[in-house]
Amino acid sequence: MQLQVKKENVYVPDLARLVSKRKMSGTETLFEFEFVEDRLRDLFDYRPGQFVQLSMFGIGEAPFSISSTPTRKGFIELGIRRTGSVTNAIHNLKLGDIVGIRGPYGNGFPLEALKGRNLLFVAGGIGLVPLRSLINYVVDRRSQFGDVTIFYGTRNPSEIIFKDELASWDALDDVDFLMTVDKGDKDWKGNVGVVTTLFNKREIDPNTVALVCGPPVMYKFVVDELLKIGIGRDEILVSLERRMKCGVGKCAHCQIGHKLTCMDGPVFSIFEVEQLQEAI
Amino acid sequence: MGTESIDIKHIARVEGHGSLYVTTKDGELVDVKMAVDEGARLFEAFLQGREYTEVPEIACRICAICSASHRVVSTKAVEKAMGIEVDQQVTDLRRLLIWGEYIESHILHALYLALPDYVGHESVISAAADFPDVVKIALKLKKLGNDLQILTGGREVHQVTPMIGGFSAYPSHQDLEVLRERLQDARSDLQVCLDVWAGLEEPQFERETDYFALRRDDEYALVGGDLASLSGVRAPVEDYKKYIGERIPEYSFAKAGIRDGHGIFVGALARLNINRDLLSPFAKSALKTLGIDLPSYNTFHNNAAQLIETAQVFDMADATISSLLSSDLEWHEPETTPKAGKGTAMTEAPRGSLVHSYEFNKNGLLKTADIIAPTTMNYTNMEEDVRALFPQIAGGSKESIELMLNRLIRAYDPCISCSCHVAKVR
Amino acid sequence: MGDNGKPSVGIFGLTGCAGCQLNILNIEDHLLDILNLVDITTWVMAKQENSEGPWDVAFVEGSVAKKSEIERVKKIREKSGVLVAIGACATHGGLPGLRNFRDISEMTQIVYGENNDHIDAIPIKPVSAYVDVDYELPGCPMEKTEFLEIVKSLVMGKRPYSAQYSVCGECKALENICLLKEGKFCMGPVTQAGCNALCPSNGAVCEGCRGPAPEANWAAEVKILKKIGATPEDVRRKFLKYCPSVAEMPEFKELEF
Amino acid sequence: MCPSYVMNQGDITKLIESARDSFDIFGPVKKRTKHVFDKIDDPAQIEMDYDSTILSPRKFFQPPSEVMMTFDLEEKSVDDTLENLRAERPRLLLAVHSCDLNGILLLDKVFGGEYVDHYYNIRRDKTTIVGLNCLEPCEYGFCRSMNTHHVVEGYDLFLTPIDGDRYFVQVGTAKGEHLIHMAENLFTLAETGDVQSFKNALKHKQEALPHEVDLEGINEYLDLSFSHPVWDEIAEDCVNCGACAMVCPTCYCYDVVDELDISLTSADRTRKWDACLFQDFALVAGGHNFRETPAARLKYRFYHKMRGFANEYGIIGCTGCGRCTAACPSDISIKEVLKRLSTIWEVPVSGVK
Ligand SMILES: Cc1cc2nc3c(=O)[nH]c(=O)nc-3n(C[C@H](O)[C@H](O)[C@H](O)COP(=O)(O)OP(=O)(O)OC[C@H]3O[C@@H](n4cnc5c(N)ncnc54)[C@H](O)[C@@H]3O)c2cc1C
Ligand code: SF4
Ligand code: SF4
Ligand code: SF4
């Protein structure tokens, strides 16, 4: 499937405009962009799990997972954490400001293979950003999938993002949503404990595809739980993060062993990840 | 009235940190102290024990403004100590490096640091708004000087290519041609600067003193030659100590040059006075443009002298490039072996005479170093000039006195970072 | 901010040769552009009227070589938003730091004779030994390009680019013949890149003026130098020539020569 | 099939003269004690009999630093530099050895594929390559071990020295044929005797080039020695300087930086050679470094060359040109490392993690 909007120079970004900005936490904001060219708004199609390269002209370019779902067209949402030059500049954008976007890149989640399957989402912290795309996709096309369970954990209540949306997922009858924080505060009434503690609260069918995204430290523990349940290594999917300069398999920064995160990933099965020494 | 002091802490628009303390009583001058506030770096001491090959590299860090002069004169002193000869190509390249330094340094000093005073600005930065054209020309000329230094020395400050016995890399014929053309083109730019300067009014202040510079019979001496004075001294540079003494003012980190109890003057004006019969065509015409009669005893003429010398150097650079273009410029590795010995070399840095004198042991390790920089030599003379000028300006406001004193010191193009590691007291 | 909304800048010299300040003046092509971006309110070397601060950005040249400079650099730090140390003296102590390895009073005597009580010389240290430094532009002198990069970046709120590797990386990209392979004692392998391998490109060995590269493998460099004939003393001198501060680093103390 | 030709070795300078109006010409020239590929202004500069060059021909297709596009920060517009590249004069690259031709073929794969890199490909298309067969081994190379002493494509013309004074000229592409037409009088059709001489030359080559490393089982022994202490041992000598990556014909990774113009109204997006040996190569925001130790990075370079390429493109990513060995300040030799790894069979290996 060739989703890339065809153009001659793959490195040249298309212009996009910031249309809304929603602060999600102290360091994370959800940005909504639309392409300046009408044509692109319709043409730009993507798969959950893919990412774009966003240019802040004169500052730099960085990869971000698309957080919106292709089932809702016309705009792209990116949830971005303020960490360095590019992300700082993005946070300083005003509505209407112009950025560059190219993509989408990467394999994304294997939608065909997921159809009809039970899905377990496990998100840690900002890892929810890329998973949200697939979650909303599934919510919008709920009938195409089996059981849907979502585990979400953050370090503390102040780091919870997409609060409204979490509530809306929670409200759905056909989605089982659970969340936890490592450490609560005085107002926190929900679960306390790392995200793996949620596994004690639900019986997960071994015939499930698990979709995991979170900080590097989280993977190992979550994967152990999933393996215990009996989910196959090839049915545990993670999204990896690497330094990336081109997004299209040339600059070699995201190479892990013999795979390129940008081309062969960022979504990999745990089987592949374990084959790739030094992957996580 | 009563005792009053005029303290010019941090003399501005000079290189390095210097202060001037003037004490007056009832409008009369009582005391003048120029202090160098620069941290003592002790070059002559830590040079001891270093290898001869790295001595020039270390010694040129004494001062960035004259790094090329330090580098070349230090190299020559080492070569003299070890009896190392170099070929014409190497000599020419060194000369060209120095010419680059002259253009850069003289333009910097005359047009960036001194000129603002003449046009009522506090700096070239503020002057740039009112005189954008002159400032742009000055930038262009300065860059030309720097590019000459880069071409021959690898970098405009603290060159990297000069080595004992030669260079680690040579420029190409093509690069030299390009620079020669740029030098040609820049003549008109320099003429603009000369014309601008001719329209300025220099303060009238005359005080005859002992002018010292190099002198050679075949050319306007900037490198090579004997030590000479306007009063008729002529001696081999090895005898420098006979003529240039030093004292250590207890209020300063720097030593001060002295001869028979009074100051000496080195620098562009001294050179011009001493070598006035050897001016090149462009320098002669520059002299005419500026309308200065030589010898001149007006310290403020030192800046004009710098511009005249820039014209001189334009002609000399042209000749040196011709000489280089007629050689093969085939690079060869300079190979030298250390030897015990003593070597003294003297050159004219843009701001005045500069001496490096070394002694090495048989392994080529430095035993002793004696380095006298121009600002050191001028030090006593500056204080004497302040005394002499004071009565002339005493009637003015404190601000105007301060400004004039600043201008006087600046006229010397002092390099205060240079002066703080001067020779041994004898 | 300065009066005109531009960031205010102070340029200061401690003990040094003024080469880094001169190198700012040497940016002839862009000097006027720099003045468009920032407001230089203090610069004794180039201006008669100098403000007492505060400054958005302070550039400090030179090492701390006498007692009074400790106070001075602290004052500058207090009054500055961002402090940038420029040049080897400010970042690593610089070449005059060679004196740290000898007896100061003996050296003072050598230079100034008996009459030297007023000479206030302390062991030379980089600016960071006394105050927090936000950015360092190493090199003897600092690179003009790096100065421009930091000015632009600070005005734009961007992290200035700095190469995280050694001079060899640049040297090889420039297709130079490796001087170590010619038996010359080059410090390129362990020296912070950013000078565009200036010295090796000019046929001269890297003297290490930009200080250690990130994670520099010193032990390997020692081995290389000794293999081509350097004595332990040669190696020690090479390592410390421009960077006396290196002597204080634990990795250096553990190094076998 | 296009016929083969012969030409006099001395006529290479005439070929340069004839091609001059149509091309910018590059070839091996002397740089102090070594050779480099450089622009040939005077035909006499070319040195056909060279050992190897410091940098590989990669520099012609992916220069050490290049502006990819320029942003106008006020207008918010983007202008790429492909047009400028297209407008450049065609290039003629002379005397490229077999190992390097194989290197170029590998780069072709990297910069082609699903997303075509036009910067590389425009340059590549505009370059005519005249290959040169090596009949004698070079100082550091081990092409025969890597099977890169042969080329079947990648050249436009390919010269093999025969009979001491002539070249046997194979034509690889129509571009090569054009070049022949451009200097027709220098080439004559190869005759039976010439073909025999050509065969003799190849036979001589077979005998002269040593086969030093056994690649049999390389994938397995690399997989099995991933956690072997040998890597830490080699890393002790490695200064992580990246010289090996800079000179390598098949290293291609790059960094991208935006460089602001001093007026802050426009910026260039520039890419420059990077190296996986550098500390921040795999560093991401927040300070996590996926290859934190120098040893991990050194090892990665080997694995990417040997294993990564093989998986992705079906061939090993090392051409055995020996440049990395020539460039390494610590004299780390890739050939020796490979030899060493191949003997690790004999000592206990640690399994895949
Ligand atoms: C496939 C993918 C998806 C991502 N999705 C998101 C997301 O949805 N939200 C989010 O906040 N962040 C995401 N990241 C991380 C994000 O790219 C980095 O936070 C960002 O590059 C930091 O850039 P900076 O200039 O602000 O930081 P700096 O530290 O100043 O980075 C400088 C340069 O380093 C590189 N770099 C640094 N960190 C990373 C990194 N983690 N990954 C890749 N390159 C890096 C970039 O090329 C960047 O230009 C994703 C990364 C990848 C690879
Ligand atoms: S010459 Fe020096 S800097 Fe250049 S590659 Fe060799 S060791 Fe490195
Ligand atoms: S090559 Fe070395 S000595 Fe020369 S400027 Fe660079 S870091 Fe300094
Ligand atoms: S790894 Fe070394 S031998 Fe192999 S192609 Fe690269 S430079 Fe040549």
Side-chain angles (χ1 to χ4, degrees), chain D residues 58-332:
Chain D
R58 163 201 183 195
K59 66 176 184 180
F60 292 109
F61 310 113
Q62 189 206 4
S65 162
E66 76 176 305
V67 176
M68 304 176 82
M69 61 195 85
T70 301
F71 304 118
D72 184 324
L73 303 186
E74 286 171 341
E75 297 289 320
K76 302 284 176 206
S77 61
V78 186
D79 225 344
D80 73 16
T81 49
L82 296 185
E83 268 327 299
N84 309 354
L85 283 185
R86 287 204 183 86
E88 275 176 16
R89 255 164 75 84
R91 286 175 166 181
L92 174 61
L93 182 52
L94 295 171
V96 180
H97 289 162
S98 335
C99 57
D100 285 344
L101 289 170
N102 278 299
I104 295 171
L105 289 175
L106 259 167
L107 291 184
D108 287 351
K109 292 187 199 292
V110 172
F111 289 106
E114 187 180 344
Y115 298 104
V116 176
D117 183 297
H118 290 289
Y119 299 90
Y120 176 91
N121 281 287
I122 292 172
R123 292 197 179 91
R124 186 73 174 84
D125 290 343
K126 293 190 75 147
T127 308
T128 298
I129 301 180
V130 176
L132 176 65
N133 215 341
C134 318
L135 303 185
E136 302 295 336
C138 61
E139 190 177 354
Y140 293 103
F142 51 105
C143 56
R144 182 138 181 231
S145 310
M146 307 314 276
N147 205 27
T148 57
H149 55 317
H150 294 300
V151 269
V152 283
E153 54 171 340
Y155 57 81
D156 298 298
L157 291 183
F158 192 64
L159 313 180
T160 303
I162 53 169
D163 306 336
D165 58 352
R166 292 182 308 149
Y167 291 122
F168 187 83
V169 184
Q170 291 165 274
V171 183
T173 64
K175 276 203 247 173
E177 204 170 15
H178 279 301
L179 195 59
I180 298 238
H181 291 318
M182 205 170 271
E184 232 152 6
N185 56 336
L186 303 180
F187 298 90
T188 51
L189 278 175
E191 293 171 11
T192 322
D194 302 322
V195 175
Q196 190 54 48
S197 297
F198 175 54
K199 282 189 181 160
N200 292 346
L202 294 187
K203 182 148 184 290
H204 173 87
K205 174 171 175 168
Q206 286 292 339
E207 284 155 13
L209 300 189
H211 193 298
E212 296 168 282
V213 191
D214 194 0
L215 288 187
E216 200 72 45
I218 182 171
N219 287 351
E220 289 86 339
Y221 65 67
L222 279 170
D223 282 350
L224 293 177
S225 40
F226 191 83
S227 312
H228 198 278
V230 64
W231 294 111
D232 294 315
E233 260 171 62
I234 302 169
E236 265 178 36
D237 283 345
C238 171
V239 284
N240 263 255
C241 69
C244 52
M246 299 293 152
V247 299
C248 179
T250 67
C251 274
Y252 55 84
C253 68
Y254 61 81
D255 191 11
V256 180
V257 287
D258 280 11
E259 294 174 336
L260 288 155
D261 165 67
I262 180 72
S263 64
L264 305 185
T265 56
S266 81
D268 286 342
R269 179 159 291 169
T270 304
R271 67 172 169 193
K272 12 186 157 191
W273 290 358
D274 205 343
C276 53
L277 288 306
F278 296 161
Q279 189 197 25
D280 60 351
F281 190 81
L283 179 77
V284 297
H288 188 75
N289 194 338
F290 288 93
R291 281 186 287 275
E292 196 148 28
T293 62
R297 301 197 287 273
L298 166 82
K299 175 162 75 175
Y300 168 79
R301 180 163 185 275
F302 276 84
Y303 274 79
H304 184 213
K305 288 254 121 87
M306 301 297 162
R307 281 296 273 125
F309 267 93
N311 272 42
E312 252 168 301
Y313 305 112
I315 18 170
I316 287 178
C318 169
T319 70
C321 73
R323 284 191 180 85
C324 53
T325 310
C328 177
S330 277
D331 298 325
I332 297 172

Side-chain angles (χ1 to χ4, degrees), chain A residues 8 11 55 242-243 250 278, chain D residues 86 112 115 117 269 283:
Chain A
E8 208 224 328
Y11 301 111
S55 278
R242 276 298 184 277
R243 193 180 188 86
K250 314 293 184 205
E278 66 172 30
Chain D
R86 287 204 183 86
Y115 298 104
D117 183 297
R269 179 159 291 169
L283 179 77

Side-chain angles (χ1 to χ4, degrees), chain A residues 3 9 16 65 70 81 100 115 132 150 179 181 192 195 216 224:
Chain A
L3 291 164
N9 188 343
S65 304
R81 168 178 296 195
K115 286 220 176 110
R132 169 179 177 256
I150 304 171
M179 73 166 301
V181 294
V192 174
V195 77
D224 283 349

